[in-house]
Amino acid sequence: MQFPEIVLAADEPLDEAFRYVVSRFSDQGFPVQTLEEITAQLPCADQISLFTVSGTRDLHLFVVVTREWDEPLVLTTLESLLSLRQAAPTLRLTVRFIAAHPLPSLLAYVFEDSMRGQLESEAILEVRFDFDTPMHLERPVYLARQIQRWLQDFGHRTLYPDQLETIAWINRFVLEELRQPVIIDDEPYEPLNSLICLGCLVGEVLAHQPQLQARWVSSEVLGGAALEVCPRMARSERSWWSWREPEPPAPAIEWEKAVAFNPIGRVIQLFREGETEDLMVFVERVLSYWDV
């Protein structure tokens, strides 16, 4: 669909700008549905106006804003739009902005019509920009499963936690997709929420390696969730001719000899540093720590 190109005057009254935008769309034959009742329930109701246009496959949600962006407006707009998208999970809802001021890179990234934008919008609802969120010991496992599901839903890519190829794919994905900057008169956006989830998946791949025993712990030294790793003790097999004795109990795990690694921090560092970092090198270092 080729939508009208509209330029709004800075700080123009929102009501006037909204009526102008809706009339331009209607004059060109687009089926416009205004959302006054829904907008009135949002925390930023007096600062944005919404309308939709139905496409052949998508429902396009247009956001009209005339005032200058500041942090409270950005965050309330983000929260409002994510809640609307979450309320209609069966719809393919694309968000488009008609704004008088340049769009902040956070909103441009999250509502970009791409897999990485969809991933970050889902991850925000789980992580909420909080690096300490995964410190609860069940959270990293949950977040790893979530991003595994999102990648399958949005990218039709199935990643398996017991395969090291998953690490190589995440490495390429961060470098080739997530690091492509979104800069609109602003600093590049860092998709911290997606990176935390990907780091949890990297940790789960390590935890699923048969030669390792691993668990998530809270580490003050590493500044958050860490993966504590030690070699898995093999069970001894004893047999007498054709008779096999019952397997002895698994030996106790000697967690006091474990070493803590930070897969979440490594994924964030890969995003920030680029090709000078390599997740496969990190994983190989973990696997070779005990020559297992």
Side-chain angles (χ1 to χ4, degrees), residues 134-166:
M135 287 178 64
H136 304 290
L137 301 187
E138 72 280 2
R139 289 290 289 168
V141 178
Y142 170 76
L143 292 176
R145 290 174 179 170
Q146 286 294 87
I147 198 159
Q148 183 186 24
R149 178 174 63 84
W150 299 331
L151 287 168
Q152 191 166 17
D153 290 346
F154 303 141
H156 307 291
R157 178 74 191 194
T158 302
L159 300 179
Y160 298 96
D162 59 337
Q163 296 182 5
L164 292 180
E165 170 57 28
T166 294

Side-chain angles (χ1 to χ4, degrees), residues 161-168 202-214 227-232 259-261 266 278-292:
D162 59 337
Q163 296 182 5
L164 292 180
E165 170 57 28
T166 294
I167 304 292
V202 169
E204 281 301 293
V205 172
L206 284 171
H208 279 75
Q209 296 310 300
Q211 64 269 56
L212 298 180
Q213 194 81 37
L227 190 72
E228 205 170 59
V229 180
C230 64
R232 184 182 295 274
V259 178
F261 296 92
R266 299 296 282 194
D278 191 324
L279 293 178
M280 287 304 297
V281 173
F282 164 67
V283 169
E284 289 167 5
R285 181 164 64 88
V286 176
L287 295 176
S288 63
Y289 194 87
W290 297 275
D291 292 324
V292 295

